Amino acid sequence: MTTSRPPNQLELTLPVPGRGEASCQDAQEVEVVRSSAESESPACTEHLMEAICDPDNIEAALASVVCNKGAPGVDGITVKQLPDVLKARWPEIEEQLLQGHYQPQPVRRVQIPKPAGGVRNLGIPTTIDRLIQQAVLQQLQPLWDPTFSEHSYGFRPGRSAHQAVAQAQAYIIEGYQFVVDIDLAKFFDRVCHDRLMAAVAARISDRRVLRLIRSFLTAGVLNNGLFEESREGTPQGGPLSPLLSNLVLDELDRELERRGHRFVRYADDCNIYVRSEKAGRRVMKSLTRFIEGRLKLQINVEKSAVARPWDRSFLGFTVRNEPAFRRCIAAKAVARFKNRVRELTKRHRGVSLERMIKELTSFLKGWAGYFGFSQLDELSSLDGWIRRRLRCVAWVQWKTRRRRFSELRRLGISAKAAFEAIFSPKGPWRLSLSGALHRSFTNAHFESLGLPAMGNLLKA
């Protein structure tokens, strides 16, 4: 233990290490990580709870939960309050954990809209329960992750969605040009607790940890003040859920490996690549029997299909139907992007152009950082579309002809061109292509306002 620390760090008893959750590397190429199907010996986990409660582990878990922020659970304790609450309550919580009597609180139900319609149910644990789950994750992940399939890419250290997309593209280039696209219906809501706990018990011998994990699964949900029992599923929103989901679907991975399939799985998105449509339909039929009969999960028939890869999308990407099969951004991802930009650049939002650009740039950085993995130059055309929308915003915000004339003149437009623009019968969208507005709002001017091209964001 250390006895001193800088005053701006979290104060328990130890220095705060880095985040404990699985990192997502932005690799541009497929990195093959070999893994073994053999699970670790349960005998080495007899005293796992002591390792979970170790001060170093708890300190790392606290740092991770605080860095990840997030909303409070049913008890209302925020991540900012968590360090002080933990200092006061940790001896009691630690005793309950070591005795195997700790009982998590129900998760708070939150619904967020899905991009394709409908809602996704999230379960937000309390910050204390999130910390305990993170502490468990930090001990289990190093033991379990090396045993998972090399074809699994989701929620794993050193693995990313980009690697999964690149591996899928490699299969297509090799000649496997039909995809069996399997979508699991409400996967996180339908995980069988008994099957999951059987898989956990095969890897863990510490009964206290087994009881703790089951208690997280069965803690229940508080939905608009009403308590609901949790008889199946693993709630999305807790640090431990992704690891448990990989454990559940590891059985699917091993079955696909046993059959010799070429496949890529990222969380509950699984694509199998075959050489013919006939083979694809045969695989879809047999896997449906396995998933629904053995794993007790449900396949979403409407979203699953056997098709050409360029007619489907995987993690927001697809491939072009050409000899090189270059990867590109899927049409649905572009549509979602444009819908979000439209929300941020509404002409009558009542915010200044500078503030609008600041909010927009924050969104673009994340979007370009992910979809810049495309091998086509879609970002440039989207940049032009964004700038055109912002020209519309500026034109509408200027409102009067007098204001529009003075602003155009201030931006270096001749009096004749300014008069032509302000007396034009065209609407804002058509006017955004006019020479006056183009010369007023050049790429360099937008950059001076804080809006760089998305391609430049990738170079930064």
Side-chain angles (χ1 to χ4, degrees):
M1 287 189 177
T2 59
T3 57
S4 64
R5 63 169 62 248
N8 62 338
Q9 289 189 350
L10 300 175
E11 293 184 4
L12 281 182
T13 55
L14 297 169
V16 179
R19 292 175 64 173
E21 289 187 329
S23 60
C24 184
Q25 294 181 353
D26 196 25
Q28 298 291 306
E29 297 180 355
V30 179
E31 178 183 351
V32 178
V33 181
R34 298 295 176 186
S35 59
S36 170
E38 298 296 327
S39 62
E40 75 286 348
S41 171
C44 68
T45 60
E46 290 179 359
H47 302 288
L48 184 58
M49 187 61 82
E50 281 74 15
I52 291 170
C53 294
D54 181 86
D56 285 335
N57 193 52
I58 296 299
E59 192 91 17
L62 175 62
S64 178
V65 171
V66 171
C67 286
N68 290 336
K69 301 179 181 179
V74 296
D75 61 359
I77 297 175
T78 66
V79 291
K80 290 184 178 180
Q81 299 169 324
L82 181 59
D84 292 334
V85 172
L86 198 63
K87 281 199 296 185
R89 294 185 52 190
W90 178 245
E92 172 193 356
I93 295 171
E94 182 181 29
E95 179 67 18
Q96 293 174 356
L97 289 170
L98 292 174
Q99 295 297 323
H101 299 148
Y102 181 81
Q103 181 58 47
Q105 296 190 62
V107 299
R108 181 169 63 88
R109 168 73 76 232
V110 174
Q111 293 184 329
I112 60 173
K114 291 182 177 181
V119 295
R120 175 177 286 109
N121 290 326
L122 296 185
I124 309 300
T126 66
T127 52
I128 291 176
D129 287 340
R130 290 212 294 273
L131 176 134
I132 295 173
Q133 286 194 36
Q134 179 66 27
V136 175
L137 173 70
Q138 290 167 181
Q139 292 300 313
L140 294 185
Q141 193 159 54
L143 296 175
W144 292 4
D145 191 80
T147 72
F148 290 153
S149 169
E150 66 184 76
H151 302 280
S152 167
Y153 291 86
F155 310 122
R156 298 184 62 186
R159 302 199 136 214
S160 69
H162 286 173
Q163 290 174 327
V165 171
Q167 180 61 78
Q169 180 188 18
Y171 288 142
I172 297 167
I173 293 172
E174 288 174 12
Y176 297 86
Q177 293 169 13
F178 283 88
V179 59
V180 182
D181 188 349
I182 293 178
D183 184 271
L184 299 178
K186 297 182 177 179
F187 165 71
F188 286 92
D189 296 333
R190 291 179 173 168
V191 171
C192 175
H193 288 175
D194 290 338
R195 287 189 58 82
L196 172 56
M197 289 310 303
V200 174
R203 294 166 176 256
I204 294 177
S205 60
D206 192 326
R207 294 184 178 275
R208 297 166 299 177
V209 179
L210 294 175
R211 283 195 293 269
L212 178 64
I213 294 175
R214 182 174 280 276
S215 69
F216 279 124
L217 295 174
T218 59
V221 177
L222 204 61
N223 189 9
N224 294 324
L226 299 177
F227 177 78
E228 301 174 5
E229 291 186 13
S230 300
R231 297 183 178 179
E232 62 179 0
T234 171
Q236 292 177 266
L240 197 54
S241 292
L243 180 65
L244 296 179
S245 70
N246 272 334
L247 181 61
V248 170
L249 292 175
D250 189 58
E251 188 173 356
L252 172 61
D253 295 341
R254 298 308 173 187
E255 178 66 17
L256 292 171
E257 288 177 346
R258 186 185 67 79
R259 299 183 184 188
H261 289 308
R262 288 160 177 80
F263 71 97
V264 180
R265 183 177 66 79
Y266 191 96
D268 56 340
D269 290 333
C270 186
N271 280 5
I272 302 103
Y273 295 88
V274 296
R275 290 189 182 273
S276 70
E277 184 177 7
K278 182 178 179 180
R281 297 196 180 282
R282 184 172 62 248
V283 169
M284 175 68 82
K285 185 176 180 181
S286 63
L287 282 181
T288 299
R289 287 197 303 267
F290 177 82
I291 291 171
E292 296 183 349
R294 180 74 175 271
L295 301 184
K296 308 302 180 185
L297 297 172
Q298 189 73 34
I299 286 183
N300 189 328
V301 178
E302 294 181 357
K303 294 184 178 181
S304 300
V306 177
R308 291 290 196 176
W310 43 88
D311 294 327
R312 306 292 292 181
S313 64
F314 181 54
L315 302 177
F317 292 92
T318 187
V319 295
R320 292 285 294 269
N321 182 14
E322 59 181 28
F325 297 111
R326 290 178 296 172
R327 58 181 175 267
C328 57
I329 305 172
K332 288 183 179 179
V334 173
R336 289 196 293 268
F337 169 81
K338 288 190 171 184
N339 287 337
R340 180 57 179 154
V341 172
R342 288 187 183 102
E343 291 176 5
L344 293 171
T345 59
K346 287 180 179 178
R347 301 174 194 175
H348 304 285
R349 273 191 65 195
V351 301
S352 67
L353 186 65
E354 290 76 12
R355 179 180 169 186
M356 190 178 289
I357 287 175
K358 183 177 180 181
E359 295 175 358
L360 183 60
T361 302
S362 178
F363 167 68
L364 295 180
K365 284 180 180 178
W367 199 88
Y370 181 77
F371 286 101
F373 190 57
S374 170
Q375 292 176 312
L376 301 183
D377 190 22
E378 296 112 323
L379 299 187
S380 295
S381 62
L382 292 174
D383 277 332
W385 177 79
I386 291 168
R387 289 190 289 265
R388 186 178 178 186
R389 284 197 61 85
L390 290 174
R391 292 187 188 102
C392 289
V393 170
W395 188 255
V396 171
Q397 287 185 349
W398 290 342
K399 293 184 179 179
T400 65
R401 285 176 175 170
R402 182 185 295 274
R403 171 81 185 279
R404 288 169 178 171
F405 180 81
S406 64
E407 291 290 347
L408 288 175
R409 293 288 289 148
R410 184 180 64 83
L411 292 170
I413 304 303
S414 68
K416 179 182 178 182
F419 271 119
E420 289 177 354
I422 66 175
F423 286 104
S424 171
K426 297 177 182 178
W429 183 246
R430 292 182 66 190
L431 268 175
S432 65
L433 290 177
S434 68
L437 281 176
H438 255 285
R439 291 194 298 274
S440 299
F441 289 94
T442 62
N443 295 357
H445 182 59
F446 274 120
E447 191 162 353
S448 72
L449 294 174
L451 182 74
M454 282 193 282
N456 293 337
L457 292 174
L458 296 177
K459 300 173 186 176

